Amino acid sequence: SLPMTCPDYESACAAYIKRALDPDNHPDIRKANQGILSNPMDLDLVAQMIAGSMEPDLFNLQQQQYKIMSADYELRHVSRKFPLTEFSETVFNMRIDDQPTIPAGDYIDEVRCMERYKMILSSQSTDADGEPVKQYFFRHDKIMDFFIVQSFLNNDDRPVEYMNDPRFRGVYFLLAYLLPWDAAMALREELIQYAADTKDVSVSHKFIQLIRDRKHLTAA
């Protein structure tokens, strides 16, 4: 996790909360900020970043956490970048196969680094022969979704292909912020048409709200 470098942690936390919930912020942004800060995992991440003298971006927390983790990974493994594209495709296939455990044998260095940053948790058990076995899991679906969304960003067909799969609901909410604006608006239209045809608005309504929030943030 991040080292404690903030000289006046309590004051920094209070100042950050005041900025996030400032009455002068657009009401939609203030409401979204409040929702994010009400999530214990997100709040823990915000606290870690403030302790490390960083400015949390509430709409991009997983990306910030990844950048911190991957920078540490590159320091420990000289001239080697975190294999984001390959790992993200593996995580996508985990979701497709409903496989909760990470295939750590293929990514042991990466998994250990993510575990240091609380992105991954591990559990110890024994196999059929009584040998110890360590299994790794994502700490939260939000972290898994962060990696899966990378695979969607690298595949133009995937965002339309999986609109009817509820397992990727959180991924679509990330796409609302991460896709280039024109692509996000095109996907918004696809989701509206899908909702009109199926009466399934579980993704489209939230996606539209997030697009609106993104527009307010850009205008701020």
Side-chain angles (χ1 to χ4, degrees):
S1 58
L2 284 168
M4 178 77 168
T5 60
C6 183
D8 191 349
Y9 175 65
E10 288 189 13
S11 294
C13 286
Y16 183 79
I17 296 296
K18 186 176 180 181
R19 288 196 300 278
L21 304 181
D22 191 326
D24 290 338
N25 291 339
H26 190 283
D28 287 347
I29 297 301
R30 193 166 66 249
K31 182 179 178 181
N33 287 348
Q34 191 166 17
I36 294 165
L37 291 168
S38 299
N39 181 293
M41 190 195 78
D42 289 340
L43 188 60
D44 179 55
L45 188 51
V46 166
Q48 286 183 52
M49 289 182 181
I50 294 173
S53 300
M54 294 183 65
E55 177 76 7
D57 177 356
L58 294 184
F59 294 90
N60 217 7
L61 286 175
Q62 273 67 49
Q63 178 74 22
Q64 280 188 299
Q65 187 180 33
Y66 168 77
K67 285 183 177 179
I68 296 163
M69 180 278 296
S70 62
D72 183 31
Y73 177 90
E74 289 180 36
L75 281 175
R76 293 168 185 265
H77 305 281
V78 181
S79 74
R80 209 167 109 202
K81 290 189 176 293
F82 189 96
L84 179 60
T85 300
E86 296 86 350
F87 184 72
S88 296
E89 193 65 23
T90 296
V91 179
F92 167 75
N93 286 315
M94 283 173 58
R95 179 67 57 81
I96 288 290
D97 297 335
D98 294 318
Q99 170 63 40
T101 57
I102 301 166
D106 298 330
Y107 297 101
I108 193 62
D109 292 335
E110 292 77 12
V111 163
R112 285 172 177 163
C113 192
M114 286 187 280
E115 188 177 24
R116 284 194 294 275
Y117 284 85
K118 300 182 180 178
M119 298 172 77
I120 280 175
L121 303 174
S122 62
S123 66
Q124 193 85 26
S125 60
T126 55
D127 62 18
D129 299 321
E131 295 296 320
V133 177
K134 196 170 189 180
Q135 293 184 312
Y136 295 89
F137 308 85
F138 284 103
R139 181 186 175 194
H140 194 280
D141 275 349
K142 281 189 174 186
I143 299 169
M144 191 174 186
D145 286 343
F146 165 78
F147 287 103
I148 294 173
V149 82
Q150 310 307 316
S151 76
F152 274 59
L153 293 169
N154 292 328
N155 186 318
D156 291 341
D157 296 329
R158 205 166 273 179
V160 174
E161 187 178 350
Y162 288 94
M163 286 192 300
N164 65 343
D165 192 329
R167 295 175 298 178
F168 294 98
R169 187 170 178 264
V171 173
Y172 282 89
F173 300 155
L174 290 174
L175 286 170
Y177 285 107
L178 297 177
L179 280 172
W181 180 256
D182 288 348
M185 292 304 290
L187 181 56
R188 173 182 176 272
E189 182 60 28
E190 291 277 3
L191 289 167
I192 289 171
Q193 295 300 325
Y194 173 78
D197 291 340
T198 64
K199 306 298 186 288
D200 178 4
V201 298
S202 59
V203 173
S204 60
H205 279 190
K206 178 71 172 176
F207 191 92
I208 292 166
Q209 176 64 59
L210 292 171
I211 288 287
R212 195 158 57 219
D213 290 348
R214 177 178 173 178
K215 191 173 181 180
H216 293 325
L217 277 172
T218 305

